């Protein structure tokens, strides 16, 4: 009876395995130390045979393959799920340093051959130093007596892919933790990238630890944060230190040991504040000779254009699509200029982004869709669309140019009889045929009483005096406006609130669309842009310190200054400690609006 039950159970799992998709994967650590043993595993989700493993000449095979089988049944809401797994395990010894690739292995299952993934394993040299501890976790034993952590046993590095770049050239910034201990971080304050536009790289929620050889020692490392930085001005830009509260668990060393101490270890938590060292980047200015169509794009790009039709009727929409794709500061690309004829009714372009941010850089495309409506029939030319960028590979400016569009606009149903003959003139100069001869008036005469003259009457003199007074007033107003318009700093200050309100509206719309990252970025721009315009300080020269100093000079209360700086900090760190609800984000928006309003009422220029 027992034998029959086992046969039925095996048949059940065999049938289930046949119903599943077969997977065959290879697993091994991505880094090991020379002289260290490690396991190489091949995992198959079905019964297999004829396992063929590639030659492992770069390693010593100590054991294998040993085979283990596991079967499990999971029932959720009455639905059962069964899995069957076969694992082939090898024990290898890393006998030489370097980076080695293990090609895919093959196995036969369900009458078909399957290949695993390949593996890359980096063999690190042993510790070259002679520290008070050996490697890795053994450091905690050496530090148990003093209760202190080795200076080089736990630290954070800010690593830059380049230390000398052009303005607007992307730099990969990696913040990495190096540890010989079992450690965690609290109260993280990342470095502030002032003077840079920051593009964050999404990292896995679960941090991936790996081994790395640095300064003669092997550390457990984990990437805390990665971002692509775009310097916004030339010169020396310093990235200040970050601050981290570390909690390290070390084994306690007891004076008296008992039999049970060999089985049960005791530990203590040691706290230490660590900082990343400041680092300076040399940012070179872009060369002279910028094309007229250059608006700050740096990288490598291509451009494509298309028009919906070259032959339309009056009052029908004309659509032109421009797509710019490539690698670089694509998010900062400004809208290319498309010159439509004066008699076209032109709308703001629709912009679409598809941008990917990885450790290799920022790539993707930006698509612009232009809409215009011709109101009159005729022949029109739309000049070529130009886009210029600075090519980092050649160190020169390049200009991409589309073809010109010749557009034929036919008479529409409601376009009337007028035909436009001139293309690029002011609307007041447009010549209209069919309406240049006016008919003579034949009726509706009005007779005046004899002796009642208009000349010398009160109305006659008022018609002279009133226009003269109005002209004098207009001249005074006009001169005042010309004087004010020539003062660019004053105009910038006056328009600061108006520009900030526009940006706040954009941020509010992003909030409604639940786009958190874009919302915080736009709100941050609104705050920095307002204070830059209001105080007439270039954006690149703004720091929180000089903001506080300037605001106090204008008599702004300390409480309002602290509120403004707190809102800036909240926006900057929102991605690392995001707010928990839409209500909190809305509250931050209200605080920013009120703060700008109070600033506007306080700062009078």
């Amino acid at each position: 009876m027992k034998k029959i039950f086992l046969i039925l159970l095996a048949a059940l799992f065999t049938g289930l395995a046949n119903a599943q998709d077969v997977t065959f994967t290879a697993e091994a650590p991505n880094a090991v130390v020379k002289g260290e043993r490690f396991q190489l595993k091949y995992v198959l989700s079905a019964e297999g045979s004829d396992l063929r493993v590639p030659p492992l000449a770069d390693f010593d095979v100590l054991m294998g393959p040993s085979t283990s089988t596991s079967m499990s049944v999971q029932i959720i809401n009455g639905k059962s799920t069964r899995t069957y797994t076969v694992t082939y395990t090898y024990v290898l010894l890393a006998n030489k340093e370097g980076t080695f690739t293990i090609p895919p292995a093959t196995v036969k299952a369900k009458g078909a051959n399957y290949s695993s993934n390949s593996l890359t394993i980096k063999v690190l040299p042993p510790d070259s130093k002679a520290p008070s501890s050996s490697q890795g976790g053994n450091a905690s034993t050496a530090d148990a007596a003093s209760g202190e952590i080795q200076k080089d046993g736990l630290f954070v590095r800010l690593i830059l892919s380049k230390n000398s770049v052009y303005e607007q050239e992307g730099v990969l910034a990696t913040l990495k933790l190096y540890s010989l201990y079992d450690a965690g971080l609290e109260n993280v304050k990342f470095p502030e990238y002032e003077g840079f536009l920051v593009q964050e790289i999404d990292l896995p929620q679960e941090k991936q630890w790996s081994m790395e050889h640095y300064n003669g020692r092997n550390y457990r490392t984990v990437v805390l944060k990665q971002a692509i930085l775009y310097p916004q001005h030339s010169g020396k830009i310093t990235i200040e230190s970050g601050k981290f509260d570390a909690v390290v668990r070390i084994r306690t060393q007891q004076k008296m040991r008992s039999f049970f101490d060999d089985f049960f270890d005791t530990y203590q938590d040691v706290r230490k504040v660590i900082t990343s060292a400041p680092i300076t980047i040399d940012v070179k200015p872009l060369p002279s000779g910028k094309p007229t169509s250059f608006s700050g794009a740096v990288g490598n790009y291509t451009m494509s254009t298309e028009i919906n039709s070259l032959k339309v009727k009056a009052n029908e929409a004309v659509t032109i699509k421009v797509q710019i794709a490539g690698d670089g500061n694509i998010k900062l690309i400004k809208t290319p200029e498309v010159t439509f004829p004066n008699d076209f009714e032109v709308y703001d372009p629709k912009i679409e982004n598809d941008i990917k941010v990885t450790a290799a850089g920022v790539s993707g495309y930006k698509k612009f869709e232009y809409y215009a409506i011709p109101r009159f029939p005729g022949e029109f030319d739309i000049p070529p669309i130009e886009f210029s960028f600075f090519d980092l590979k050649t160190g020169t400016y390049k200009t991409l140019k589309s073809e010109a569009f010749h557009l034929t606009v036919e008479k529409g149903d409601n376009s009337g009889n007028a035909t436009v003959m001139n293309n690029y003139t002011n609307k007041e100069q447009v010549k209209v045929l069919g309406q240049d001869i006016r008919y003579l008036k034949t009726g509706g005469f009005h007779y005046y009483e004899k002796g009642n003259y208009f000349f010398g009457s009160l109305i006659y003199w008022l018609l002279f005096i009133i226009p003269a007074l109005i002209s004098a007033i207009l001249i005074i107003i006009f001169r005042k406006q010309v004087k004010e318009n020539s003062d660019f700093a004053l105009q910038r200050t006056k328009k600061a609130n108006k520009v900030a309100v526009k940006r706040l509206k954009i941020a509010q719309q992003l909030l409604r669309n639940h786009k958190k990252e874009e919302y915080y970025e736009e709100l941050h721009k609104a705050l920095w842009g307002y204070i830059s315009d209001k105080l007439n300080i270039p954006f690149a020269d703004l720091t929180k310190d000089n903001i506080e100093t300037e605001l106090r000079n204008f008599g702004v209360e300390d409480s309002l200054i602290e509120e403004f700086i707190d809102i800036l900090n909240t926006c900057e760190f929102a991605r690392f400690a995001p707010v928990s609800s839409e209500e909190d984000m809305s509250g931050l928006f209200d605080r920013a609006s009120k703060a700008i309003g109070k600033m506007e009422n306080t700062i009078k220029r």
Side-chain angles (χ1 to χ4, degrees):
M1 185 67 183
K2 182 177 180 182
K3 185 176 181 181
I4 296 175
F5 175 78
L6 292 176
I7 294 174
L8 292 175
L9 184 62
L12 174 63
F13 280 103
T14 302
L16 177 64
N18 290 332
Q20 293 177 337
D21 294 331
V22 177
T23 59
F24 184 46
T25 58
E27 301 174 359
N30 56 7
V32 295
V33 179
K34 179 183 177 182
E36 183 178 280
R37 299 182 181 185
F38 66 96
Q39 289 186 343
L40 169 64
K41 294 182 179 181
Y42 293 97
V43 182
L44 178 66
S45 63
E47 289 186 357
S49 61
D50 194 18
L51 173 67
R52 295 180 181 269
V53 177
L56 303 172
D58 297 318
F59 305 95
D60 291 339
V61 180
L62 303 181
M63 188 184 71
S66 60
T67 305
S68 61
T69 304
S70 65
M71 295 180 289
S72 63
V73 180
Q74 187 177 21
I75 302 176
I76 301 177
N77 296 330
K79 185 177 180 181
S80 61
T81 304
R82 298 174 175 84
T83 58
Y84 180 91
T85 303
V86 180
T87 303
Y88 306 92
T89 304
Y90 290 83
V91 178
L92 307 181
L93 175 68
N95 54 19
K96 57 183 176 180
E97 301 171 14
T99 302
F100 307 101
T101 300
I102 299 178
T106 60
V107 71
K108 184 176 290 185
K110 298 182 181 179
N113 291 323
Y114 294 90
S115 297
S116 71
N117 52 296
S118 62
L119 294 172
T120 300
I121 300 176
K122 188 174 183 179
V123 180
L124 307 174
D127 283 351
S128 59
K129 294 184 177 182
S132 57
S133 65
S134 57
Q135 301 174 7
N138 294 335
S140 61
T141 303
D143 299 328
S146 63
E148 296 181 355
I149 302 169
Q150 299 177 33
K151 182 179 179 181
D152 60 348
L154 181 69
F155 56 91
V156 173
R157 290 180 64 207
L158 178 59
I159 307 168
L160 300 180
S161 59
K162 300 177 183 178
N163 290 95
S164 179
V165 294
Y166 280 104
E167 184 180 348
Q168 298 293 348
E169 180 182 355
V171 180
L172 174 64
T174 302
L175 203 64
K176 185 181 288 188
L177 174 66
Y178 289 73
S179 178
L180 298 176
Y181 308 92
D182 182 10
L185 297 180
E186 297 178 351
N187 302 323
V188 175
K189 183 181 180 183
F190 291 110
E192 295 185 9
Y193 300 120
E194 293 187 5
F196 297 89
L197 175 74
V198 182
Q199 292 279 91
E200 297 292 340
I201 297 176
D202 291 332
L203 298 176
Q205 292 291 334
E206 295 185 4
K207 301 299 184 181
Q208 301 295 321
W209 289 84
S210 61
M211 292 289 295
E212 182 176 331
H213 191 82
Y214 177 71
N215 278 351
R217 302 191 71 174
N218 293 304
Y219 293 89
R220 295 175 63 243
T221 65
V222 63
V223 175
L224 303 176
K225 177 184 176 184
Q226 272 189 321
I228 305 295
L229 310 181
Y230 292 101
Q232 298 301 293
H233 61 85
S234 59
K236 302 285 186 180
I237 304 180
T238 300
I239 301 174
E240 300 299 335
S241 302
K243 185 178 179 182
F244 311 87
D245 293 342
V247 180
V248 181
R249 172 159 292 186
I250 61 176
R251 182 188 300 173
T252 58
Q253 185 176 12
Q254 311 211 0
K255 296 181 180 179
M256 300 293 294
R257 293 185 60 85
S258 66
F259 170 80
F260 295 100
D261 291 333
D262 295 331
F263 297 93
F264 303 102
D265 292 328
T266 57
Y267 295 87
Q268 66 173 339
D269 290 339
V270 178
R271 296 184 178 273
K272 181 180 180 181
V273 177
I274 56 177
T275 58
S276 60
I279 191 168
T280 300
I281 301 179
D282 180 21
V283 182
K284 299 174 289 187
L286 294 175
S288 58
K290 300 175 182 177
T292 55
S293 58
F294 178 76
S295 60
V298 175
N300 185 27
Y301 299 99
T302 60
M303 183 179 72
S304 61
T305 59
E306 62 175 297
I307 190 170
N308 63 331
S309 178
L310 294 175
K311 189 174 183 180
V312 297
K313 292 183 178 181
N315 298 319
E316 289 183 354
V318 175
T319 303
I320 295 179
K321 296 180 180 179
V322 179
Q323 179 172 300
I324 298 173
D327 306 318
N329 61 340
I330 192 167
K331 194 171 185 179
L332 297 178
I333 291 178
K334 296 182 180 179
T335 305
E337 182 179 357
V338 178
T339 307
F340 288 97
N342 289 324
D343 297 283
F344 281 40
E345 186 174 338
V346 182
Y347 297 86
D348 292 335
K350 177 184 176 183
I351 303 176
E352 178 184 344
N353 294 315
D354 186 4
I355 301 173
K356 296 179 180 179
V357 185
T358 65
V362 179
S363 62
Y365 69 81
K366 205 168 188 179
K367 186 181 295 183
F368 308 88
E369 194 167 351
Y370 302 81
Y371 296 93
I373 299 177
R375 294 305 184 188
F376 302 99
E379 301 290 329
F380 301 92
D381 287 321
I382 299 176
I385 303 167
E386 293 186 359
F387 170 73
S388 297
F389 64 94
F390 181 72
D391 189 352
L392 293 170
K393 293 182 179 179
T394 62
T396 59
Y397 295 98
K398 291 186 178 180
T399 300
L400 306 177
K401 194 173 183 180
S402 72
E403 61 178 346
F405 299 109
H406 180 76
L407 192 62
T408 301
V409 181
E410 299 178 342
K411 178 183 176 182
D413 297 335
N414 300 319
S415 60
N417 297 320
T419 303
V420 177
M421 300 300 294
N422 203 355
N423 195 9
Y424 295 103
T425 60
N426 295 328
K427 293 185 178 180
E428 291 80 2
Q429 298 174 337
V430 176
K431 297 180 180 180
V432 182
L433 302 181
Q435 298 184 11
D436 55 342
I437 300 178
R438 305 292 183 178
Y439 60 88
L440 299 177
K441 188 174 182 179
T442 57
F445 295 103
H446 181 72
Y447 297 92
Y448 293 92
E449 182 180 352
K450 184 178 181 181
N452 186 10
Y453 299 106
F454 174 72
F455 179 77
S457 64
L458 177 62
I459 298 177
Y460 174 82
W461 291 111
L462 289 175
L463 290 176
F464 273 97
I465 297 172
I466 293 175
L469 290 174
I470 294 175
S471 299
I473 294 172
L474 290 177
I475 290 173
I476 295 172
I477 295 174
F478 178 73
R479 287 182 177 177
K480 184 178 179 182
Q481 288 180 345
V482 169
K483 185 177 180 181
E484 291 181 353
N485 291 337
S486 63
D487 190 347
F488 295 105
L490 180 61
Q491 290 299 315
R492 183 183 177 193
T493 301
K494 285 187 173 182
K495 294 179 180 179
N497 187 56
K498 184 178 180 181
V499 174
V501 170
K502 288 183 179 180
R503 286 175 172 166
L504 287 174
K505 288 183 179 179
I506 296 174
Q508 189 176 36
Q509 185 62 39
L510 293 171
L511 175 60
R512 292 173 181 169
N513 294 336
H514 308 292
K515 296 182 178 180
K516 292 187 178 181
E517 181 180 349
E518 292 87 347
Y519 162 73
Y520 284 116
E521 183 176 346
E522 193 63 36
L523 189 60
H524 188 262
K525 286 182 180 178
L527 295 168
W528 277 101
Y530 171 78
I531 210 69
S532 174
D533 294 340
K534 199 65 179 177
L535 301 180
N536 195 27
I537 299 176
F539 188 85
D541 297 335
L542 278 180
T543 64
K544 294 172 184 176
D545 292 335
N546 63 18
I547 286 177
E548 292 184 13
T549 302
E550 291 294 328
L551 290 178
R552 286 195 178 94
N553 292 338
F554 281 97
V556 179
E557 296 179 356
D558 290 342
S559 59
L560 181 55
I561 296 175
E562 291 178 0
E563 173 72 5
F564 192 84
I565 297 298
D566 182 63
I567 297 172
L568 284 175
N569 291 334
T570 303
C571 291
E572 290 173 357
F573 295 110
R575 294 175 183 169
F576 314 113
V579 293
S580 58
S581 66
E582 298 288 343
E583 182 179 353
D584 293 332
M585 296 172 66
S586 179
L588 183 64
F589 178 84
D590 294 337
R591 289 174 60 196
S593 301
K594 291 178 181 179
I596 291 177
K598 291 179 181 178
M599 291 280 188
E600 191 68 17
N601 293 330
T602 304
I603 303 175
K604 302 294 184 181
R605 303 190 65 166

